[in-house]
Amino acid sequence: MRDLHLHPPVTMSHVSRRAPWLLPVVAAIFVALAIGAVAGWLFWDAHITAWVVEQRSHGPNAIFRRISFLGSTRVIIVVSTVTALVAWRRCPRLALAIVVIALARPLAEFALKELISRPRPAGDRMVNGEGYSFPSGHPLATAASWGLIPLVVGLYTRRRALWWSVAAAVWALAVAVAASRVWLGVHWTSDVVAGLLLAVLGVAAAERFIAATHGPCRSERAEADRVDPEVVDRPVLEATS
């Protein structure tokens, strides 16, 4: 069976080859939302936020608070650090890439927020929110940290079912974190949609960066150096005849 680190079941590159229009469409929608945020054209946001506020109750409020915390700066720092340390044992270059992505993500987010300068929803906030609103940083941070875990999992297992389970879980978490920010009243719906779109583009860029800086990892060298046990068990004369 193939090494999942060398040959993951799916990557953004695989998707782009099958659907070359996808990433340009994602980028175009993000730009359209950004222009709409600057011009004040995203009229549906206020209606969605008003509806969400009406649906709030104690149980969902507590759940969404916990989900949102998983995309907070404190958790993201811990996840990125642990992921990089675990990756370092078998692939230092991947660990370095994880650190670079973790440092680059908040800079890109800050620059976009300052450029677009969209105010956050006023009133009905359940948690504090600092800075501008567009795009939502929590889903982007989740994708840039939790979303890299499948790459590390591929260093330690060949079980495709496990890889798929982890990949599905981290992207489901990114969507849940995005929804939590609207529920808690600190972002508009278009903010979190834009954050998820930016996360897709960010993963594609991260894959390119990792591919450009990637070298042979210990798991790959071990795979290349693996000796067929049948050959080892043969008598010397038989193996060389």
Side-chain angles (χ1 to χ4, degrees):
M1 186 177 294
R2 285 182 164 186
D3 188 330
L4 291 181
H5 178 57
L6 292 171
H7 308 284
V10 66
T11 65
M12 201 59 67
S13 298
H14 295 158
V15 175
S16 297
R17 284 196 293 270
R18 291 176 177 271
W21 49 267
L22 181 60
L23 289 181
V25 168
V26 169
I29 295 175
F30 176 82
V31 171
L33 289 175
I35 293 173
V38 172
W41 294 340
L42 306 178
F43 58 88
W44 57 81
D45 279 330
H47 298 293
I48 295 175
T49 295
W51 180 84
V52 167
V53 170
E54 293 177 357
Q55 309 309 309
R56 287 175 178 168
S57 62
H58 178 72
N61 292 350
I63 291 173
F64 279 118
R65 282 178 183 271
R66 292 185 176 91
I67 292 174
S68 180
F69 178 71
L70 296 177
S72 65
T73 299
R74 285 179 291 176
V75 173
I76 295 306
I77 291 174
V78 172
V79 171
S80 296
T81 301
V82 172
T83 304
L85 290 174
V86 173
W88 181 269
R89 181 171 176 266
R90 292 198 172 183
C91 192
R93 290 177 182 267
L94 175 57
L96 177 61
I98 291 172
V99 172
V100 171
I101 292 168
L103 295 176
R105 190 274 310 167
L107 297 177
E109 176 192 332
F110 176 79
L112 286 169
K113 284 187 174 183
E114 290 294 319
L115 178 64
I116 297 169
S117 301
R118 186 187 197 189
R120 292 179 183 267
D124 296 316
R125 295 185 192 176
M126 297 180 61
V127 294
N128 294 327
E130 298 179 356
Y132 291 114
S133 188
F134 186 101
S136 176
H138 272 58
L140 178 59
T142 302
S145 55
W146 294 90
L148 298 177
I149 291 178
L151 296 177
V152 180
V153 169
L155 290 169
Y156 289 89
T157 183
R158 291 185 170 193
R159 297 174 58 187
R160 295 172 66 87
L162 176 59
W163 189 96
W164 275 112
S165 297
V166 173
V170 297
W171 279 101
L173 176 61
V175 173
V177 167
S180 74
R181 303 303 286 170
V182 177
W183 186 275
L184 297 175
V186 289
H187 278 290
W188 304 106
T189 300
S190 55
D191 297 339
V192 301
V193 171
L196 290 172
L197 294 174
L198 192 60
V200 171
L201 298 174
V203 168
E207 286 183 1
R208 289 179 178 271
F209 173 77
I210 290 171
T213 59
H214 202 268
C217 296
R218 292 171 191 172
S219 62
E220 299 166 24
R221 291 196 296 268
E223 177 69 18
D225 295 340
R226 184 173 295 169
V227 179
D228 188 341
E230 294 183 2
V231 174
V232 174
D233 291 339
R234 293 177 191 165
V236 175
L237 292 178
E238 179 183 349
T240 57
S241 60

